Amino acid sequence: MKIAVLSSFPPRKCGIAHLTKNLFDEWRAQGHQLVTFGIDVSECDYKINTNSFSGLLEVASIIKREKIEHVSVQFIIGFYGKKYFGLNFLLFLWALRKKRVIVTLHELHHIRSFGQIFRKPLDLFHITLEVLISCFSTGVILHTEAQVSDLKRYGIRDVRCVYLGIQTKSVPRTRTALSQALFFGKLVPFKGAHLFSGIARVCPEVHFVLACSVEPQYEAYRLQLVRDFEGIPNIEFVCRDWIGNEEKEACFTAADVLVLPYIDTYYQSGVASESGVYNIPVIVPKLGPLSEITLKYHVGEAVEQVDAASIKTAIHKIFGNYPHYLEGIQKYRAEANWSVAARNYLEYLRG
């Protein structure tokens, strides 16, 4: 099958670029031909012109010219130009209405209260756009069942859950004592890195490594954390613009538990899915899609409250029955590896 793919690709420093590369490699290994359309510094067949409202129409013209009937799109609004408010993307979908276009929504916004509309009106805009994308495309892929249920509440029926695929690296775990915990990911306030000053103090027996990539707009937050962590001996704070695969693997291999004390989100987490990649139990809060895999497969603990005492209890609970969580991770790996994810994508793409 010949497939047009719109996404970010390496060497762009983007989690989606590096994660979905595995999906596209799997498709190629199965004999499918990919025609790639990428943003910024992505290595691809065609660059997407995001500086022009009509840039995506140029992509649609190439897809028609090459007689490609199946199109896979990885969607985050920032990929295609926020300044156009998604209207350029809707026009692109309309131009390809006779093709089979499956859009993966990596973010699905969620209204939890009426007041949220006034506090964060952009959330209502994003939901409206996501529903329109679902209406204009052939079908939509989401990474959790909770998000599928959300979209169906808005009347969208052609939507499917396909787990964010994972590699299944061989990382033996035989830990029986508390040693090292890891926080990994982009440094943004909602991920709760600032909570580790309190967490580390109530867990002096655990060495906490925070390995973060940081963007310029969060430099003040990074400096705040440097000040907060000063004098706390069991915190190691590593922060750079990007953490490469080799250093990332070393961090995950050395750790015993992954701790992600997010304080507000309604998305799945690529970092939480690394629980399955590196065979490591994870602690997350109960926040809808974020905790779905953790609760379903028992790959770790989902806490009701994100505070130092709750995280401490969760860490001790995991180490009290470490093999139980490793068994859960094995079940998750069997259902979410890239081979299975690629097959599920393709079945939906074929129709």
Side-chain angles (χ1 to χ4, degrees):
M1 186 162 65
K2 191 175 184 181
I3 308 168
V5 178
L6 280 72
S7 182
S8 63
F9 302 91
R12 190 174 190 268
K13 293 175 179 178
C14 162
I16 289 173
H18 287 262
L19 278 171
T20 51
K21 178 184 181 297
N22 298 292
L23 172 66
F24 307 139
D25 286 347
E26 190 72 33
W27 284 356
R28 289 188 179 99
Q30 294 177 18
H32 301 286
Q33 180 186 352
L34 271 57
V35 181
T36 54
F37 299 83
I39 61 169
D40 300 336
V41 296
S42 296
E43 188 175 310
C44 55
D45 298 317
Y46 298 97
K47 288 283 170 60
I48 299 173
N49 177 10
T50 57
N51 295 318
S52 164
F53 182 81
S54 61
L56 284 170
L57 287 180
E58 296 166 14
V59 172
S61 296
I62 296 170
I63 290 171
K64 289 176 182 177
R65 188 178 70 231
E66 296 213 12
K67 297 188 168 129
I68 303 172
E69 296 302 320
H70 298 85
V71 183
S72 172
V73 184
Q74 307 297 314
F75 183 82
I76 286 181
I77 190 170
F79 282 4
Y80 306 105
K82 279 186 180 180
K83 59 186 173 183
Y84 305 121
F85 302 103
L87 295 175
N88 59 332
F89 191 76
L90 295 176
L91 190 60
F92 165 77
L93 293 176
W94 177 252
L96 293 179
R97 61 193 178 278
K98 294 183 180 177
K99 307 286 186 183
R100 187 163 181 84
V101 183
I102 301 297
V103 179
T104 300
L105 293 175
H106 287 274
E107 296 175 351
L108 184 72
H109 291 73
H110 176 79
I111 298 294
R112 280 170 274 184
S113 68
F114 188 70
Q116 183 182 342
I117 297 172
F118 297 97
R119 291 193 311 273
K120 300 174 72 177
L122 271 178
D123 284 355
L124 184 59
F125 158 73
H126 281 294
I127 289 169
T128 303
L129 176 61
E130 288 151 7
V131 169
L132 287 172
I133 288 171
S134 304
C135 292
F136 278 57
S137 61
T138 310
V140 168
I141 285 175
L142 295 163
H143 294 311
T144 70
E145 295 291 354
Q147 291 170 316
V148 168
S149 296
D150 257 11
L151 204 50
K152 284 184 174 179
R153 276 181 26 213
Y154 301 122
I156 305 302
R157 291 289 167 261
D158 211 343
V159 54
R160 184 171 297 184
C161 172
V162 177
Y163 290 138
L164 187 66
I166 56 173
Q167 291 179 296
T168 49
K169 297 178 183 289
S170 176
V171 184
R173 301 276 178 191
T174 55
R175 307 301 203 270
T176 55
L178 293 171
S179 181
Q180 185 162 300
L182 173 68
F183 171 90
F184 189 91
K186 281 194 174 182
L187 193 65
V188 290
F190 79 82
K191 293 187 178 182
H194 53 278
L195 299 177
F196 278 99
S197 55
I199 294 169
R201 286 189 173 100
V202 300
C203 297
E205 71 278 30
V206 181
H207 180 69
F208 291 90
V209 175
L210 281 69
C212 313
S213 59
V214 64
E215 295 177 347
Q217 65 265 40
Y218 295 113
E219 179 61 16
Y221 183 56
R222 184 190 72 81
L223 292 173
Q224 174 201 323
L225 295 186
V226 170
R227 291 190 294 270
D228 289 350
F229 298 155
E230 190 174 352
I232 304 177
N234 57 326
I235 289 185
E236 182 181 342
F237 186 37
V238 179
C239 206
R240 8 185 161 287
D241 65 341
W242 182 253
I243 295 179
N245 286 338
E246 208 170 292
E247 188 174 8
K248 175 183 174 181
E249 290 203 11
C251 288
F252 273 92
T253 301
D256 306 310
V257 62
L258 181 63
V259 181
L260 304 174
Y262 292 13
I263 55 177
D264 184 28
T265 187
Y266 206 79
Y267 310 139
Q268 74 289 343
S269 164
V271 177
S273 72
E274 304 281 15
S275 169
V277 177
Y278 293 98
N279 194 31
I280 182 172
V282 61
I283 296 169
V284 294
K286 286 185 179 176
L287 285 174
L290 177 65
S291 53
E292 185 174 304
I293 294 296
T294 304
L295 292 168
K296 180 177 179 180
Y297 292 100
H298 305 286
V299 301
E301 284 294 314
V303 297
E304 294 281 357
Q305 300 291 328
V306 188
D307 54 39
S310 298
I311 299 297
K312 176 182 178 179
T313 299
I315 289 174
H316 282 271
K317 189 172 181 182
I318 285 174
F319 279 94
N321 193 4
Y322 207 75
H324 166 74
Y325 299 97
L326 298 183
E327 287 173 13
I329 292 169
Q330 292 311 307
K331 293 174 186 173
Y332 172 46
R333 284 161 70 106
E335 291 193 33
N337 63 74
W338 275 114
S339 179
V340 173
R343 185 174 68 242
N344 290 337
Y345 267 89
L346 282 172
E347 284 176 1
Y348 197 29
L349 196 56
R350 283 194 183 100

